[in-house]
Amino acid sequence: MTNYGFSGRLTEAFPSQVIVDVCEICNYKCIHCPQSQFKHNGAFSGAVLSEKLNKKLVKEVAEHGKGLTQQIRYTAAGEPFLHPEIMNFLEYAVKNSGTMVSVTTNGSLLNNEKINRLLEINIGLIDFSLDALNEDTYKDIRKNGDLTVVRGNLINMLKMKKKMNSSTRIVVSFVEQEKNASEANAFKRFWEDAGVDYVVLRKLHSAGGFFKNVNDKQPGIKPCVYPWERILLNARGELDLCAMSWEGKTVIHSNYNDTTIREVWSGTEYSILRNEHINCMFERFKVCGKCPDRNLTIWPGNKTESIRGYGDMISDFSSEDKYK
């Protein structure tokens, strides 16, 4: 039976996952992602995270999250490697955070120079978002992308990792949807045979209800794991409680400059949020009550491998390396 609440890697003292959205810029227009639509309607300004806030976050994780935070996960409301300082951000985090540092990317911009530096700084994990095995499927889903280029970059990184005897974990991910569902098993086999460390198969979500007719059944009655697991710093310097919601409806503190993750995580708003999820009665956080993706989140301890969470993967890696 799943234990809802703080236990195991989920701790009241500090989040086990700290997510950093470094920019609101992308070179793709993926059909399951609202980024390009937000760009055109003005919801996204093209913001990029400041060096000051990145350093503040890393120092806070080092001070209060050591032994509690599984990873600092660099992502973006777009593509992280379009941030002009992303390599410096990652290196600073690896050297100073005291925990695993990961980055998620579409892989299109990873030339030899970037790959070599990522491996040299010993980035903990790099997650390539691919979503397709066949080129035509890739073009349909990840618009503006070129699978030949991305696959070449990824295979090149696998070769360089082996040559440098690097401990960096290389992961590929696949968001299952109508256009690619028939490729899921073959995708998994192909990349396992190629030598990646893990293949993540995810169910399509609605971006917190932004996309209609996706998971549009009655929201599940179980609590979402996110209020107990993670917090997000976005490119505008806001602290956000949900990485699935792209519309700014889940910002829990508008300015990280004048607070800390520790204060917000232990504060009144998060306490109310967790109580509303446990009781499935949403007054303050109505956006969560209406979210059709809530039943897709995965709590620790789920023994069914096919629906294990991202945090479970990190736990597996942590049991094998120096971040344990």
Side-chain angles (χ1 to χ4, degrees):
M1 181 176 180
T2 302
N3 179 25
Y4 298 133
F6 289 116
S7 65
R9 63 178 171 82
L10 308 181
T11 70
E12 195 168 3
F14 209 79
S16 65
Q17 289 191 42
V18 176
I19 300 173
V20 187
D21 270 3
V22 295
C23 65
E24 297 177 345
I25 312 166
C26 197
N27 55 343
Y28 278 25
K29 293 183 179 180
C30 300
I31 62 173
H32 55 271
C33 176
Q35 203 279 345
S36 60
Q37 295 184 49
F38 282 5
K39 174 183 176 181
H40 290 298
N41 70 17
F44 281 3
S45 64
V48 294
L49 186 70
S50 70
E51 180 184 15
K52 174 185 174 183
L53 287 185
N54 183 64
K55 286 186 174 181
K56 177 179 179 177
L57 179 141
V58 169
K59 289 176 181 177
E60 188 176 355
V61 170
E63 182 177 357
H64 298 298
K66 193 168 185 178
L68 303 175
T69 299
Q70 284 188 306
Q71 64 165 331
I72 301 176
R73 184 179 177 185
Y74 284 85
T75 62
E79 167 53 40
F81 285 94
L82 286 170
H83 191 299
E85 296 298 324
I86 184 61
M87 298 301 296
N88 293 331
F89 281 14
L90 294 173
E91 183 169 3
Y92 183 84
V94 169
K95 290 181 177 179
N96 296 283
S97 68
T99 193
M100 176 182 277
V101 176
S102 71
V103 61
T104 299
T105 176
N106 62 33
S108 64
L109 302 175
L110 290 185
N111 56 27
N112 280 354
E113 181 182 356
K114 288 187 175 72
I115 291 171
N116 189 67
R117 187 172 175 191
L118 287 167
L119 295 173
E120 282 188 339
I121 67 173
N122 198 30
I123 188 82
L125 182 151
I126 182 163
D127 183 348
F128 287 78
S129 299
L130 296 183
D131 303 326
L133 180 62
N134 298 319
E135 292 187 18
D136 287 343
T137 308
Y138 190 87
K139 289 178 182 177
D140 283 345
I141 294 174
R142 304 191 69 81
K143 294 185 181 298
N144 292 350
D146 186 331
L147 181 58
T148 301
V149 171
V150 174
R151 185 168 50 214
N153 292 344
L154 175 47
I155 290 173
N156 187 34
M157 189 169 193
L158 288 167
K159 290 177 180 178
M160 291 176 69
K161 173 189 172 181
K162 185 176 182 179
K163 182 179 180 181
M164 297 170 67
N165 195 27
S166 169
S167 62
T168 295
R169 287 350 196 269
I170 299 178
V171 171
V172 296
S173 62
F174 181 101
V175 176
E176 186 176 334
Q177 51 201 285
E178 183 179 356
K179 289 180 180 292
N180 67 6
S182 63
E183 298 180 17
N185 291 334
F187 176 92
K188 188 173 188 292
R189 289 193 302 269
F190 177 88
W191 286 111
E192 286 176 343
D193 291 345
V196 301
D197 294 285
Y198 204 91
V199 177
V200 179
L201 301 179
R202 296 187 177 96
K203 295 295 184 183
L204 178 66
H205 65 76
S206 71
F210 179 81
F211 290 114
K212 308 306 177 187
N213 303 316
V214 176
N215 304 321
D216 57 354
K217 298 178 181 179
Q218 185 70 19
I221 61 171
K222 71 175 184 179
C224 175
V225 71
Y226 292 171
W228 288 266
E229 181 183 59
R230 59 184 67 182
I231 196 168
L232 180 147
L233 173 65
N234 68 29
R236 287 165 283 183
E238 301 164 336
L239 292 175
D240 200 314
L241 59 90
C242 183
M244 283 192 181
S245 176
W246 289 59
E247 298 181 89
K249 295 179 180 179
T250 53
V251 171
I252 200 160
H253 196 285
S254 62
N255 191 350
Y256 182 44
N257 280 296
D258 62 19
T259 190
T260 65
I261 290 173
R262 188 185 186 194
E263 289 173 11
V264 173
W265 188 250
S266 302
T268 302
E269 290 292 281
Y270 256 105
S271 179
I272 294 171
L273 172 68
R274 294 176 188 126
N275 284 333
E276 290 192 354
H277 273 265
I278 288 291
N279 296 313
C280 200
M281 295 177 63
F282 297 93
E283 293 295 330
R284 169 68 180 84
F285 293 93
K286 289 183 172 62
V287 62
C288 294
K290 296 176 181 178
C291 178
D293 303 320
R294 185 156 43 100
N295 60 340
L296 296 179
T297 65
I298 302 169
W299 284 81
N302 193 310
K303 301 301 182 182
T304 305
E305 185 176 355
S306 62
I307 55 171
R308 296 172 79 242
Y310 206 88
D312 295 318
M313 176 188 71
I314 300 298
S315 293
D316 290 346
F317 290 155
S318 295
S319 67
E320 302 169 3
D321 59 28
K322 68 180 182 179
Y323 300 108
K324 185 176 180 181

